[in-house]
Each structure stands twice: as structure tokens, then as C-alpha cells.
């Protein structure tokens, strides 16, 4: 297994280009299942999760050609309606095939994802919504089996604003009979982008980006030609990298509107953030201010930036209270940060981070995608050498992160570990 070795203490400087958004590319690629013909999805990042989608689309019978970050998908002929356990296990977002397959073919079988490092993450709200649209849902040997002659529009209220649930239901409703209203829908930028792409395909989706999305079903959709937006979480991770190393980095391609909560918290921590035509320039503070954050659904502070922001707060001048409101059990990075000298106490879903003078490099282990990023950030600021193992988590969501950081002056390399 590969590991990443970082010699910390260098200030990052220069310019880095943000890749296409993983969490947008995933639903967009699954949306290709809704229409026959040749779709084109461009600016798709090169990541393990994307390889998983490619595999899954092929298993279902789609023809996929991948060239320089651009996907040509032809899903005219669907051979199978089953997302197998092996793939769903490595990527929970595989459940997003449920809506499109059910809407287009009236049948889908998707393995239940099971537990994962950041809490139970159930899909009950996806299923409840599909049932409200007339689907018959059964559990069969660890699989969800969903059937419907033709989905019917319905009024669906989400108990929680679920991102995946909103996406699955939007895709299902696009081909349903009648109008679907999703209330308390998630408002993440990825939802808005999916709605735009669906509308390019001939769907009638309105209100995406607000908490009420109205979808008027149509009989048929056409293929899309769409380029994926920049990854706000990758951009945010580089912003924190600039701040934690007291560097000066231009993050090119980022859309500032997607990161308002993070920008405001980084400014509060003393970073200087300048908005230019090409992106955001982040200058790290000399003294890092300790600030409190609470994660919440968009436009709140993103849970996907909590671990990285915590790495920054370990070096704050005072005490920071970090509250995780979206996922249970999303403090797996804390033990590893403590091994590097961080002073963090967890109580329930709150972490109290007392800033320390410096972090010390150590061998640490990645436990999930964003936790890995947080350890890399801590390693960039720490004295001596940090070795991050189990970095396959990192490769699920960050494109060439070590190359990009090296380009900014970091001393970071990937080495192969004997199996
Ligand atoms: C997506 C993102 C993930 C991000 C998360 C929250 C993708 C591929 N992943 O995940 O990176 O961290 O949004 O911003 O886009 N819940 C239920 N029942 C359900 C569905 C969700 O209780 O049926 C709960 C979850 O356990 C969680 C909360 O709702 O506590 C939010 O989850 P959700 O928004 O669905 O996250 P994902 O779509 O899985």
C-alpha cells in the first residue's frame, strides 16, 4: 500500500488549479442512465470513486469511453439493473443508480451500503421518497429491490436535507408522471448543477438550490453535454493549506460563492483572502486565531471541511470549539492529530481544540477521505517528518494532491509500501 511522506515546515507559495468536483461528477455520471444516446461529461476528475462509477456503468451495460477527463457515455442499452455489493461497499454514492434505473426501466437492485467510518449513513429517506412515488421496495439478502411500472409525482418532505436523497429523487422525478415537490431539500451547489444538467436533458426542474425543488416529469430525456464545476472541497483544502503554512497561494478556478462559510471562518482566523478574476488568493496569518465552527447543511459550514479546519485550529492562539452536526462519528482524525501533539478533547459531537505551539511529525493513519486531508495539512505544518498510511482514502477524492502540493513548494512524496 502507498503512503505519503511529508517533511513539514515549508510555506506554500504559488498557484494551484482546482479539479472538477467529485461530488458533482458522481450524480452527473449516474444521470446518464436516464436517457439513451451519447452523453458527454467533461472536467471529470481522475479519482478512485470515478473509476468505481465507470465500472458500475459498464456492469449495467453502458458504453463508456474516457479521454482526458472527458466521459462519453452511451446508456442506450441497459443489460443489468443491479449495483453489486463489491462496488457499493467501496463507494456509497453507488445508491444514486436507484432513482435513474427505477425511473427508466421500472426496476433496480442495489446493495445496501452497510456501515462506514463516518457513522451509519442510512438511505431510508431515499427509499421513503421513492415509495411515495409509487415504488414497491423490498429487502432481499442485503439488497434493496425497487420496482415501479411508472413512478408518479408526489409531494415529499425530507426529515433531513439529504444531499444524495435529493439527487436520487430529482433524477427519479425527472421521468415520473406528474409533478414532484421535494421539501426540505438539500441546497448544496451540487444539487443546483445536477438540476442544470437535467434541464439540458429536457427535464423540468425548478427551485434547485432552495429548500423546495419542483420537478415536472417528462416522458423522455435526451443526452447531456456538460462540464463539471470546480471542486469546492478540494479548493477549501488548499485554502487551509495556505493558511496553516502561513503561505500565499492563488487557488485558481474556485467559485467563491460555494465557500462563503469557510471564507468567513478563515478570515476570522486571520487569513487574508483576496478575490480576483482567476480565483482566490489566500495569505496565511502570522498568528492563527482560534475560531468556533459548527457544521451544517449548505450554506452552513461544510462537514467535508471539518477535519481540515480542525488541523488548522490545532495551531490556533486560543481555544476553538468544533461541533459536528451532520454526521455522527466524524472525529476519527482526532486520535491521529493527538499523536502529532494536538490538544483536543471530544465530548459527544463537540471537539474542544486548544492551540499548541507546534505539531510534531509522526506516523499516522488515514481513516476516511477528509480525515486523510487533515493529516496531510497537519504534516505540512509539523516539524520533521510525517508519514501518512492508508492513503487509498485520499485517492478517492483528491486528484494528484501530492503533485499539486509539491508544485506549491511542499516537500511531499508518495512511496510504495511492500504489501
Ligand atoms: C454527501 C456527500 C458527502 C457529504 C454529505 C453531507 C456525495 C457523494 N457525498 O453525502 O461528501 O459529507 O453529502 O454534506 O455527494 N441521512 C439519513 N437518511 C437518509 C440519508 C441521509 O438519516 O436516507 C442522514 C445521514 O446519516 C447524515 C445526513 O443525513 O447524517 C446527511 O447525509 P447526506 O446529505 O445524505 O449525505 P450523502 O449524500 O451520503
Amino acid at each position: 500500500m502507498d503512503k505519503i511522506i511529508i517533511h513539514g515546515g515549508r510555506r506554500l507559495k504559488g498557484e494551484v488549479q482546482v479539479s472538477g468536483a467529485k461530488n458533482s461528477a458522481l450524480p452527473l455520471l449516474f444521470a446518464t442512465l436516464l436517457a439513451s444516446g451519447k452523453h458527454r461529461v467533461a472536467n471529470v476528475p481522475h479519482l478512485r470513486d470515478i473509476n468505481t462509477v465507470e465500472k458500475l456503468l459498464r456492469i449495467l451495460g453502458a458504453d463508456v469511453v474516457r479521454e482526458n477527463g472527458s466521459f462519453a457515455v452511451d446508456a442506450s442499452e441497459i443489460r443489468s439493473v443491479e449495483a453489486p455489493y463489491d462496488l457499493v461497499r467501496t463507494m456509497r454514492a453507488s445508491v444514486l443508480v436507484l432513482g435513474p434505473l427505477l425511473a427508466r426501466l421500472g426496476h433496480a437492485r442495489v446493495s445496501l451500503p452497510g456501515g462506514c467510518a463516518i457513522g451509519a449513513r442510512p438511505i431510508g429517506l431515499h427509499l421513503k421518497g421513492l415509495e411515495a412515488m409509487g415504488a414497491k421496495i423490498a429487502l432481499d439478502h442485503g439488497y434493496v429491490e425497487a420496482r415501479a411500472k411508472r413512478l408518479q409525482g408526489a409531494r415529499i418532505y425530507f426529515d433531513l436535507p439529504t444531499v444524495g436523497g435529493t439527487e436520487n429523487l430529482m433524477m427519479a422525478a425527472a421521468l415520473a408522471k406528474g409533478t414532484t415537490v421535494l421539501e426540505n431539500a438539500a441546497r448544496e451547489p451540487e444539487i443546483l448543477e445536477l438540476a442544470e444538467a437535467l434541464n439540458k436533458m429536457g427535464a423540468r426542474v425548478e427551485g434547485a438550490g432552495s429548500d423546495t425543488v419542483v420537478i415536472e416529469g417528462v416522458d423522455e430525456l435526451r443526452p447531456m453535454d456538460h462540464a463539471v464545476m470546480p471542486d469546492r472541497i478540494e479548493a477549501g483544502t488548499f485554502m487551509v493549506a495556505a493558511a496553516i503554512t502561513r503561505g500565499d497561494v492563488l487557488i485558481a478556478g474556485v467559485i467563491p460563492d460555494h465557500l462563503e462559510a469557510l471564507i468567513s471562518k478563515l478570515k476570522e482566523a486571520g487569513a487574508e483572502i483576496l478575490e480576483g478574476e482567476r480565483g482566490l488568493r489566500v495569505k496565511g496569518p502570522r498568528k492563527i486565531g482560534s475560531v468556533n465552527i459548527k457544521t451544517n447543511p449548505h450554506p452552513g459550514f461544510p462537514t467535508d471541511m471539518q477535519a481540515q479546519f480542525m488541523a488548522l485550529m490545532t495551531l490556533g492562539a486560543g481555544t476553538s470549539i468544533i461541533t459536528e452536526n451532520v454526521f455522527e462519528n466524524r472525529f476519527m482524525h482526532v486520535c491521529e492529530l493527538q499523536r502529532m501533539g494536538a490538544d483536543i478533547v471530544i465530548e459527544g459531537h463537540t471537539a474542544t481544540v486548544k492551540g499548541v505551539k507546534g505539531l510534531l511529525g509522526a506516523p499516522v493513519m488515514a481513516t476516511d477521505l477528509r480525515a486523510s486531508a487533515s493529516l496531510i495539512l497537519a504534516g505540512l505544518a509539523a516539524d520533521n517528518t510525517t508519514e501518512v498510511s492508508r492513503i487509498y482514502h485520499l485517492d478517492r477524492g483528491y486528484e494528484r494532491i501530492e503533485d499539486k502540493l509539491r508544485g506549491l513548494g511542499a516537500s511531499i512524496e508518495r512511496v510504495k509500501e511492500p504489501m
Side-chain angles (χ1 to χ4, degrees):
M1 258 185 277
D2 296 0
K3 61 182 175 183
I4 281 185
I5 298 187
I6 307 162
H7 302 290
R10 298 199 181 183
R11 294 174 67 179
L12 298 190
K13 277 194 177 149
E15 179 177 330
V16 63
Q17 180 68 42
V18 180
S19 297
K22 169 180 91 76
N23 285 355
S24 218
L26 300 179
L28 290 171
L29 287 167
F30 288 131
T32 63
L33 294 168
L34 285 165
S36 53
K38 200 165 179 178
H39 301 257
R40 185 175 158 271
V41 186
N43 199 31
V44 178
H46 193 84
L47 300 169
R48 253 172 32 115
D49 273 6
I50 299 293
N51 300 345
T52 307
V53 181
E54 185 183 349
K55 263 190 220 155
L56 185 47
L57 289 174
R58 287 221 168 98
I59 287 176
L60 299 175
D63 182 40
V64 185
V65 180
R66 196 170 167 176
E67 216 168 70
N68 297 332
S70 198
F71 269 67
V73 183
D74 189 336
S76 300
E77 280 174 42
I78 303 290
R79 270 196 309 269
S80 159
V81 291
E82 180 174 310
Y85 178 60
D86 270 358
L87 292 187
V88 183
R89 188 167 57 100
T90 52
M91 190 188 68
R92 294 178 39 84
S94 309
V95 300
L96 292 176
V97 298
L98 205 49
L101 288 178
L102 195 54
R104 179 149 160 231
L105 300 153
H107 185 195
R109 248 176 84 80
V110 177
S111 166
L112 272 175
C116 81
I118 52 173
R121 298 183 85 174
I123 56 162
L125 299 174
H126 302 225
L127 302 183
K128 209 167 120 189
L130 292 171
E131 273 178 333
M133 296 179 76
K136 294 272 171 281
I137 299 204
L139 283 183
D140 171 36
H141 296 93
Y143 278 73
V144 172
E145 177 115 34
R147 286 180 190 270
K149 262 221 171 86
R150 172 145 191 214
L151 292 170
Q152 304 290 317
R155 183 170 278 271
I156 294 159
Y157 176 84
F158 289 114
D159 295 338
L160 290 164
T162 155
V163 175
T166 305
E167 291 167 347
N168 233 340
L169 271 287
M170 262 167 52
M171 292 190 279
L175 280 179
K177 188 167 168 48
T179 305
T180 300
V181 181
L182 305 177
E183 285 176 301
N184 199 27
R187 292 186 280 161
E188 270 67 5
E190 292 76 13
I191 305 281
L192 189 55
E193 184 165 50
L194 176 61
E196 281 166 11
L198 289 172
N199 287 342
K200 282 186 189 170
M201 294 170 70
R204 299 203 191 130
V205 185
E206 273 180 31
S210 78
D211 60 7
T212 305
V213 184
V214 181
I215 306 114
E216 220 184 287
V218 296
D219 291 337
E220 209 178 358
L221 294 168
R222 53 178 178 267
M224 74 168 103
D225 184 352
H226 190 86
V228 179
M229 69 183 183
D231 194 310
R232 63 195 170 100
I233 305 301
E234 187 203 18
T237 303
F238 283 113
M239 290 169 74
V240 176
I244 202 169
T245 62
R246 280 101 164 154
D248 182 352
V249 177
L250 175 70
I251 291 112
V254 53
I255 300 174
D257 282 358
H258 291 175
L259 283 166
E260 275 176 3
L262 175 68
I263 291 172
S264 129
K265 287 293 169 183
L266 280 174
K267 282 184 177 167
E268 219 180 302
E272 197 182 328
I273 302 184
L274 306 161
E275 201 174 318
E277 254 176 37
R278 298 182 45 235
L280 288 172
R281 182 169 169 193
V282 181
K283 294 190 197 176
R286 204 181 297 202
K287 185 166 136 192
I288 297 168
S290 290
V291 300
N292 300 337
I293 59 161
K294 287 184 180 162
T295 69
N296 273 312
H298 194 78
F301 191 96
T303 175
D304 283 351
M305 282 303 303
Q306 179 258 108
Q308 301 89 314
F309 202 83
M310 187 184 292
L312 179 67
M313 289 299 100
T314 63
L315 293 171
T319 299
S320 154
I321 312 279
I322 296 183
T323 310
E324 174 55 57
N325 285 325
V326 179
F327 287 112
E328 51 183 279
N329 212 359
R330 204 175 196 180
F331 284 139
M332 310 281 283
H333 43 286
V334 167
C335 296
E336 302 300 297
L337 290 172
Q338 283 167 336
R339 302 187 57 249
M340 298 177 72
D343 181 349
I344 307 169
V345 176
I346 302 177
E347 212 181 313
H349 58 133
T350 296
T352 304
V353 188
K354 276 194 199 146
V356 292
K357 281 233 159 54
L359 294 172
L360 298 168
V364 288
M365 206 189 286
T367 48
D368 73 45
L369 171 54
R370 306 304 169 186
S372 334
S374 127
L375 299 177
I376 302 263
L377 294 171
L380 291 173
D383 284 341
N384 301 324
T385 306
T386 297
E387 282 185 21
V388 186
S389 54
R390 293 210 181 154
I391 54 163
Y392 49 85
H393 293 291
L394 199 67
D395 295 333
R396 283 189 42 219
Y398 288 92
E399 188 175 57
R400 299 185 297 103
I401 191 167
E402 68 276 20
D403 293 347
K404 289 191 180 187
L405 287 170
R406 209 176 307 114
L408 295 172
S411 168
I412 177 167
E413 61 177 325
R414 177 184 291 246
V415 293
K416 298 256 175 235
E417 249 182 2
M419 298 289 274

